[in-house]
Amino acid sequence: MKIRKYILLLILSVMALPLWAQKEKNPEDQGVNLNTPTFVPLVKVGETDLGGETVQYVELNKLYIYPAREFKNDKQKKKYDRLVYNIKKVLPIAKEIRGIVIETYETVSKIPDKKEREAHMKLVERDIKKDYTPRMKKLTLTQGKLLIKLVYRETSSSGYGLLKAFLGPVRAGFYQAFAWTFGASLNKKYDPEGDDKELEKVVRQVEAGQI
């Protein structure tokens, strides 16, 4: 039984290699293929006891089934394709930022001294500016605004809220004012049950590796 399990794991790993190899590049530098999944579908291999016999199982990630989209004309189809393209481009970055937020929060929470926490946050801010400023310049304004929304989706907090929590209201206000000069807002929220309901459908399918 164990040999079969390892063979299955090996097969799944080989299938995933082409997609994992793409992650060596930053998401914004990767080409987007509308016919190829952006994320590797989640696969969990395990075993359970069934009537005294060990049975193996494979658990896949959620699949989202929605009615087939109907487009009135080519313009509407192109608009949808562009949305999918932009989501595929910036959703990986939003998940990247979620990881940074979690890691930073865990690190800061372990530093008891206020001055040391502030010093650490200055280093984090410096590194983020260094790494992300040239990367964000590669995004279009539309992609930038979408990224702000998806960051809220991933972190349950607006970009402004995150900056305020980590850097304080004054510096957060500076970044918000900077965003406004480009017609964006770091206070932009994400409402999957309201204004962003249709967007959420596409995001879920991209996230699940369906599109």
Side-chain angles (χ1 to χ4, degrees):
M1 294 289 285
K2 287 186 177 180
I3 293 176
R4 288 169 56 194
K5 178 179 177 180
Y6 292 140
I7 290 175
L8 179 58
L9 280 170
L10 179 62
I11 292 172
L12 292 171
S13 298
V14 171
M15 289 172 62
L17 272 177
L19 291 173
W20 281 114
Q22 293 178 5
K23 293 191 175 183
E24 293 179 0
K25 293 183 179 180
N26 291 326
E28 66 276 7
D29 294 326
Q30 295 179 23
V32 173
N33 188 332
L34 296 180
N35 299 314
T36 301
T38 299
F39 291 94
V40 179
L42 175 65
V43 178
K44 178 183 177 183
V45 179
E47 55 184 35
T48 186
D49 182 80
L50 185 63
E53 182 179 353
T54 300
V55 178
Q56 296 174 332
Y57 68 87
V58 176
E59 181 180 341
L60 303 177
N61 54 308
K62 293 180 181 179
L63 295 179
Y64 297 95
I65 309 299
Y66 299 111
R69 288 182 177 272
E70 296 182 1
F71 304 102
K72 296 179 180 180
N73 48 52
D74 288 342
K75 183 178 179 181
Q76 203 175 66
K77 175 65 165 58
K78 287 179 180 178
K79 184 178 180 180
Y80 170 77
D81 287 344
R82 192 63 193 174
L83 175 62
V84 174
Y85 177 92
N86 287 335
I87 291 173
K88 283 173 168 279
K89 181 68 77 170
V90 303
L91 183 58
I93 303 174
K95 292 186 177 296
E96 224 177 90
I97 292 172
R98 176 178 181 270
I100 293 173
V101 170
I102 292 173
E103 183 181 354
T104 302
Y105 176 78
E106 290 177 348
T107 301
V108 170
S109 64
K110 295 175 183 176
I111 303 175
D113 185 77
K114 182 179 179 181
K115 287 186 177 181
E116 288 184 16
R117 287 198 301 270
E118 291 177 349
H120 178 76
M121 284 311 307
K122 286 182 179 179
L123 290 175
V124 171
E125 184 182 9
R126 182 199 66 188
D127 290 342
I128 289 176
K129 281 183 179 179
K130 179 181 177 182
D131 294 339
Y132 279 86
T133 297
R135 292 177 58 184
M136 294 302 98
K137 288 181 179 179
K138 297 177 182 179
L139 302 180
T140 66
L141 180 58
T142 299
Q143 290 168 352
K145 289 181 177 180
L146 179 60
L147 177 60
I148 291 173
K149 278 200 167 194
L150 294 183
V151 165
Y152 190 100
R153 179 182 187 269
E154 293 297 316
T155 63
S156 299
S157 180
S158 67
Y160 177 79
L162 292 172
L163 288 169
K164 184 178 179 181
F166 286 116
L167 302 179
V170 175
R171 284 153 81 191
F174 167 79
Y175 284 106
Q176 171 69 321
F178 182 77
W180 270 113
T181 62
F182 293 94
S185 172
L186 297 179
N187 267 321
K188 203 71 175 178
K189 295 184 178 181
Y190 189 78
D191 184 7
E193 300 299 327
D195 293 340
D196 300 308
K197 189 174 182 178
E198 292 303 311
L199 172 60
E200 176 66 9
K201 288 181 181 180
V202 183
V203 173
R204 284 179 177 180
Q205 290 181 301
V206 171
E207 192 175 47
Q210 291 176 253
I211 56 177

